[in-house]
Amino acid sequence: MVAQRSNAIPARRLVAGSLIERIVAERAIYPVFQPIVDLSTHAVVGVEALARGPAGSALETPDALFAAAIEAGLLTELDQLCYARALETVRDAGPPVPPLVFVNAEPAGLSQPMSPDLAAVVRSSLPFRIVLEFTERALTSRPAAVLRLADLVHSVGNAVALDDVGADPASLAFLPLVEPDVVKLDMHLIRDPYSPKTQATAAAVVGYADRSGATVLAEGIETPDDEVNAAALGARWGQGWLFGRPGPLETLLGREYAKSPAVSNAVPGLEPVYGDTPFAIASHRHPVRVAGPDMADALIDHVVASLGERGRQSIVLCAINEPGRPSRWLPRLTGAADHFTYLALLSGSALPDVADVQIQRIEEKDPLREETVISVLTEDGSMALCMKSLRPESAGDPGSIQFVHSQNRHVVHPILRNMMRRFGTW
């Protein structure tokens, strides 16, 4: 076992520049690790790596550390450094090694090219699997980056966790899109296990886990009663002070490690996708119908009206182009933006800024510019309406459109992922 290095930097070495700059330059990040256990056996299935700055400094805690990095424009450098230091520490500690290492991720940092240090450790022979953790906040602020990172993590045999589920309705709404391998129940659910909100959240998470094969993990377990409640809410794994506080890996010496934690090796249920636009995806699985402009308007009116009946935990993504005369229905949609968990618009032309709405310009050569799409995902169902104009030479009426209306989640989920990947790319 490699001895734990002191996490103090002599004060005289920190006066030459700002503290955060020196920390990054000196690689002065000292990860600590909290065990994650199987609730049925108490065997350690993994550890979560938590970053710490120099002991006794103003930036020892992660909140202060990352706030300083954001202010100094060093978030990417710090985030990648924390990631690299966590993996290095476990890799170099020697056996026994925890089977899984959970690392928190900031998409803004990890979506950038990897630093040489991070690339070297990720490409080295690691005796454990990485579980990359995202929060609901990362999903709503940088959805394209999260999806790209999730794809990359799964492609190399690692796993994805969604953190703090239940703290905000958006985390539940995004579950089917990210399809995490591990779902971490927010600790406030364990503190209030009998409330209707907790019961509804747990039911939704367990339902997702049953469909996908994901593992439910409860955070914040501090007492035996917490452990009992976590298991009753559907958690198979647990994390909290009852099982160990954050500390150096040496504190886990003598603990039993699980031999092969049951976390999936790939995104469960994700089907092959045919086509690079929503219409292409939908038309591969459904017949294409044709309608005149009046029928198209009536269809869109019906779909937009139905959005208000689908509840607040809704993700709505739209491509705002012709056909379908967006000027008729777009104001109604944006006027109800606060009704949805997440509303995002893609358009080939400029759209005015609207509160609570993410807007992305569609690149000039993107074939999505030829489509109008309204897609929605809720806990109870999914729906997508995809429309394209018929070319005049293939239809007697140049105002005719072709459309596909799908309520099949195996079609709608790829459509939503296809659209979300366009955000933050222009």
Side-chain angles (χ1 to χ4, degrees), residues 160-175:
V160 169
L162 187 57
D163 199 7
D164 301 332
V165 171
D168 189 284
S171 56
L172 286 176
F174 276 99
L175 279 176

Side-chain angles (χ1 to χ4, degrees), residues 165 168-176 196-208 211 309-315 341 376-383 409 413 416:
V165 171
D168 189 284
S171 56
L172 286 176
F174 276 99
L175 279 176
K197 180 181 177 183
T198 295
Q199 292 295 316
T201 299
V205 169
V206 170
Y208 164 76
R211 292 188 299 271
E309 303 167 3
R310 291 178 178 264
R312 297 190 64 86
Q313 290 186 15
S314 302
I315 294 175
T341 294
V376 59
L377 171 66
T378 70
E379 181 185 335
D380 300 322
S382 19
M383 181 277 300
R409 67 184 180 90
H413 293 181
L416 285 158

Side-chain angles (χ1 to χ4, degrees), residues 180-246:
D181 308 274
V182 179
V183 182
K184 301 185 76 171
L185 295 176
D186 187 74
M187 66 177 63
H188 86 270
L189 301 176
I190 308 303
R191 302 285 178 272
D192 192 14
Y194 313 121
S195 74
K197 180 181 177 183
T198 295
Q199 292 295 316
T201 299
V205 169
V206 170
Y208 164 76
D210 287 343
R211 292 188 299 271
S212 67
T215 300
V216 181
L217 187 163
E219 299 181 288
I221 298 177
E222 298 182 358
T223 68
D225 284 345
D226 288 344
E227 181 180 3
V228 170
N229 289 329
L233 291 173
R236 289 178 48 212
W237 295 350
Q239 179 179 1
W241 288 0
L242 181 65
F243 310 118
R245 300 196 179 201

Side-chain angles (χ1 to χ4, degrees), residues 128-146:
F128 53 83
R129 289 182 67 198
I130 301 167
V131 183
L132 208 58
E133 288 192 30
F134 298 111
T135 64
E136 163 272 324
R137 177 184 56 79
L139 280 167
T140 54
S141 63
R142 297 183 65 88
V146 169

Side-chain angles (χ1 to χ4, degrees), residues 20 51-53 58-70 78:
I20 187 62
R52 298 291 185 267
L59 301 185
E60 181 176 0
T61 66
D63 288 348
L65 194 63
F66 279 88
I70 291 171
L78 177 66

Side-chain angles (χ1 to χ4, degrees), residues 106 125 219 363-364:
E106 284 289 338
S125 179
E219 299 181 288
E363 293 182 2
E364 192 167 341

